[in-house]
Amino acid sequence: MLEKAKRLLQPSARSGVPPFLVMDVMAAAARLEAQGRKIVHMEVGQPAAGAPASAIAAARAALSSGPLGYTETLGIASLRRRIARAYFERHGLEIDPERIVVTTGSSAGFMLAFLAAFEAGDRVAVALPGYPPYRNILAALGCEPVSIETSADTRWSMTCETLLAHHRARPLKGVVVGSPANPTGTMMTAKALTTLIHCAEDAGIAVISDEIYHGLDYAFAAHSAAGISSDAIVINSFSKYFCMTGWRIGWMVAPAQLVRPIERLQQNLAISVPTLSQIAAEAAFDARAELETVKHGYEENRRILLEGLPRAGLDAFLPADGAFYLYADVSRFSADSFEFATRMLQQAGVAATPGVDFDPLHGRNFLRLCYAGAREEMQEAVARIGAWLA
């Protein structure tokens, strides 16, 4: 019987995706903390601040008002209208609320987008360095992620020329674009983003725009793909700017022709998004002043690192235009960023994510540092890293 079970329960090939190393680093840090160590967390891309007060109050009221049942699959109508209104408030865009799809975090948004837009075997371009679940979700769904290297010359963003070169070699069905980007923190200008989207769509390549760090822009204002093309699929989330990572709530702006297919998929995969999270998310839009205060804290943390890390010995990093990341070059200290991150955690008590998670080609030279924590933690991190590297 045991041998039969072993034969029946072999992992599928599609499950053989690489681990998301940032979660492994977080687990290693937790083990050290369980031993009594004080660890400065700069590995996981999540705000130290909790959900805004308005969201908490709305959730409490909902919990005391009666049972929470399913909602419409596409999301509570008032939340969809409020999300659409936010595009007018921030970008001056008129978005039909019928095109808004509420999702269980941006992760579910990517799965729904890939399932609705691509067939198994389709080739989809992603930037290197880039968020690893882009590649891993695509692979698990039977698509082929096509990694396109970027460089400092283009602010670590994909260009029309590089995209079309890969498309001519073997046709692409889609491209994933992120600005502000994870892990680099770099952003595309409005002109660069517009050029890339028009270039892709003219070539028959569908565009998925990851905008989950919108609102967290420092160098210049982030530009939404929703204002460039009604055919682009836009993914956003309440996790980053709205400080609601654990609520697992996000949204999509979907092309009109994909709304019903996405609805059918979500009906079967999730039925609906957690009701409590939707209620809280709608109320979070009333917390602009509170959220801007949190953002100003990130800006101060950014300043602490940009000034302090070079004195500590880490003086080569990519432009920190937005999000809450620095992508630092550690090649002068190690040829293996995983080994470097492991030693830094064990010896300095600072947790950071090795670049190999984001770039299997050149990531061994880089380390991602998240500065979404408290100001005192950033100051302590600089001091610890400086003492360790001295």
Side-chain angles (χ1 to χ4, degrees):
M1 182 65 72
L2 181 59
E3 289 304 314
K4 180 180 179 182
K6 287 180 179 179
R7 292 196 302 272
L8 289 174
L9 297 176
Q10 291 300 309
S12 68
R14 71 174 62 202
S15 71
V17 296
F20 190 11
L21 288 179
V22 65
M23 305 310 294
D24 287 348
V25 174
M26 185 172 71
R31 287 192 292 271
L32 290 177
E33 287 176 319
Q35 298 169 13
R37 294 278 302 276
K38 170 66 169 66
I39 303 299
V40 179
H41 289 275
M42 303 182 76
E43 78 277 28
V44 180
Q46 69 175 347
S54 58
I56 297 294
R60 284 177 174 156
L63 286 172
S64 62
S65 65
L68 298 173
Y70 297 131
T71 73
E72 297 176 55
T73 294
L74 293 176
I76 295 173
S78 59
L79 173 57
R80 296 169 71 199
R81 290 194 297 270
R82 187 61 187 88
I83 292 170
R85 193 175 109 204
Y87 280 89
F88 183 79
E89 294 170 346
R90 187 174 288 275
H91 301 289
L93 300 175
E94 296 277 1
I95 302 293
D96 184 350
E98 294 298 312
R99 293 178 55 206
I100 303 296
V101 179
V102 182
T103 63
T104 309
S106 62
S107 297
F110 287 114
M111 286 188 279
L112 290 168
F114 297 159
L115 283 167
F118 307 129
E119 303 289 352
D122 282 347
R123 304 176 75 247
V124 181
V126 296
L128 289 185
Y131 182 54
Y134 297 155
R135 305 190 305 271
N136 298 340
I137 294 171
L138 284 165
L141 295 177
C143 297
E144 180 184 346
V146 179
S147 298
I148 296 183
E149 294 184 61
T150 62
S151 70
D153 294 338
T154 60
R155 300 185 68 80
W156 302 92
S157 299
M158 207 180 301
T159 66
C160 176
E161 292 75 18
T162 55
L163 181 68
L164 290 183
H166 283 76
H167 185 56
R168 285 191 291 267
R170 280 185 60 200
L172 297 166
K173 187 64 181 293
V175 59
V176 182
V177 181
S179 177
N182 178 10
T184 61
T186 55
M187 291 171 58
M188 299 182 73
T189 64
K191 180 180 179 182
L193 182 63
T194 301
T195 298
L196 181 62
I197 290 175
H198 287 166
C199 168
E201 292 187 344
D202 288 346
I205 302 170
V207 175
I208 294 94
S209 180
D210 179 353
E211 302 183 0
I212 72 170
Y213 295 99
H214 274 214
L216 302 179
D217 41 22
Y218 317 113
F220 49 88
H223 199 71
S224 177
I228 299 171
S229 170
S230 60
D231 289 321
I233 302 173
V234 174
I235 309 290
N236 211 318
S237 172
F238 288 91
S239 291
K240 310 302 181 179
Y241 177 77
F242 292 93
C243 303
M244 296 177 68
T245 51
W247 297 77
R248 306 313 301 135
I249 178 94
W251 76 86
M252 307 167 66
V253 182
Q257 65 271 26
L258 288 186
V259 171
R260 180 56 177 163
I262 290 171
E263 182 179 24
R264 293 195 303 263
L265 286 164
Q266 180 137 283
Q267 285 172 341
N268 286 280
L269 294 175
I271 299 178
S272 64
V273 174
T275 305
L276 187 67
S277 295
Q278 293 191 62
I279 292 169
E282 184 173 350
F285 283 106
D286 297 329
R288 183 71 180 271
E290 181 181 346
L291 295 170
E292 285 297 304
T293 298
V294 173
K295 176 183 176 179
H296 293 324
Y298 299 151
E299 291 182 284
E300 175 62 14
N301 291 348
R302 174 176 174 262
R303 182 195 65 78
I304 291 169
L305 295 186
L306 290 177
E307 293 179 1
L309 285 178
R311 293 196 298 268
L314 293 179
D315 56 2
F317 35 77
L318 308 191
D321 300 327
F324 34 54
Y325 304 118
L326 282 182
Y327 199 56
D329 188 334
V330 297
S331 58
R332 61 180 284 201
F333 300 103
S334 174
D336 181 350
S337 62
F338 184 84
E339 179 271 341
F340 183 85
T342 300
R343 283 194 294 113
M344 190 170 77
L345 174 60
Q346 292 282 348
Q347 298 170 12
V350 178
T353 306
V356 289
D357 213 10
F358 309 99
D359 183 352
L361 297 180
H362 306 293
R364 64 186 181 280
N365 295 324
F366 290 90
L367 196 71
R368 190 193 74 174
L369 299 159
C370 174
Y371 55 85
R375 179 186 308 180
E376 296 75 18
E377 290 177 320
M378 298 304 104
Q379 293 169 334
E380 184 174 356
V382 168
R384 289 188 182 200
I385 292 171
W388 178 58
L389 293 176

